[in-house]
Amino acid sequence: EVQFVESGGGLVQAGGSLRLSCAASGFTFDDYAIGWFRQAPGKEREGVSCISSSDGSTYYADSVKGRFTISSDNAKNTVYLEMNSLKPEDTAVYYCAAKHPPFYSCGLDTAWYDYWGQGTQVTVSS
């Protein structure tokens, strides 16, 4: 059974930092693409960043480039999202998701992913 444990969310002031973790189990982590998504109240879920665990290639939404960094520790089956210079508009529930192979590179289309976590709340105060 595929499972995710997301953690690291919380309340932070604008300009602050948080590190989200997504610990996965139930599949061969090395072969998958892992993505981070977020959904603010009243808005659609949007892609934030993704990483292909096999080669470490990454992709970022324009809104977070230069502020967020995605990384993976395949030995721990865990993907991280380091979030710096946080803004109030980053407030959302953040979800991790996994896409099973085969694929060429990861992407930020929610429909592309096969498995989803339960989410962790990130709130950035102004």
Side-chain angles (χ1 to χ4, degrees):
E1 181 184 6
V2 174
Q3 289 186 329
F4 298 95
V5 177
E6 294 141 318
S7 61
L11 173 64
V12 63
Q13 288 188 331
S17 299
L18 284 173
R19 187 194 197 203
L20 304 184
S21 299
C22 172
S25 62
F27 59 95
T28 306
F29 191 79
D30 294 8
D31 298 333
Y32 279 63
I34 306 295
W36 280 102
F37 295 79
R38 65 188 182 187
Q39 188 165 19
K43 295 188 176 182
E44 292 188 355
R45 191 170 297 188
E46 64 174 359
V48 174
S49 182
C50 64
I51 186 167
S52 296
S53 299
S54 59
D55 63 4
S57 59
T58 59
Y59 186 79
Y60 295 91
D62 288 342
S63 58
V64 306
K65 279 181 183 176
R67 300 188 298 123
F68 291 10
T69 303
I70 191 170
S71 61
S72 68
D73 184 338
N74 289 1
K76 295 182 178 180
N77 279 17
T78 301
V79 171
Y80 305 96
L81 186 68
E82 185 75 35
M83 305 186 296
N84 298 315
S85 302
L86 283 162
K87 306 175 182 179
E89 51 262 45
D90 294 318
T91 295
V93 177
Y94 283 70
Y95 300 88
C96 63
K99 164 66 178 174
H100 62 64
F103 55 86
Y104 181 71
S105 61
C106 72
L108 298 182
D109 182 351
T110 56
W112 192 69
Y113 286 80
D114 301 299
Y115 307 106
W116 290 84
Q118 295 302 306
T120 184
Q121 176 69 46
V122 172
T123 303
V124 184
S125 63
S126 57

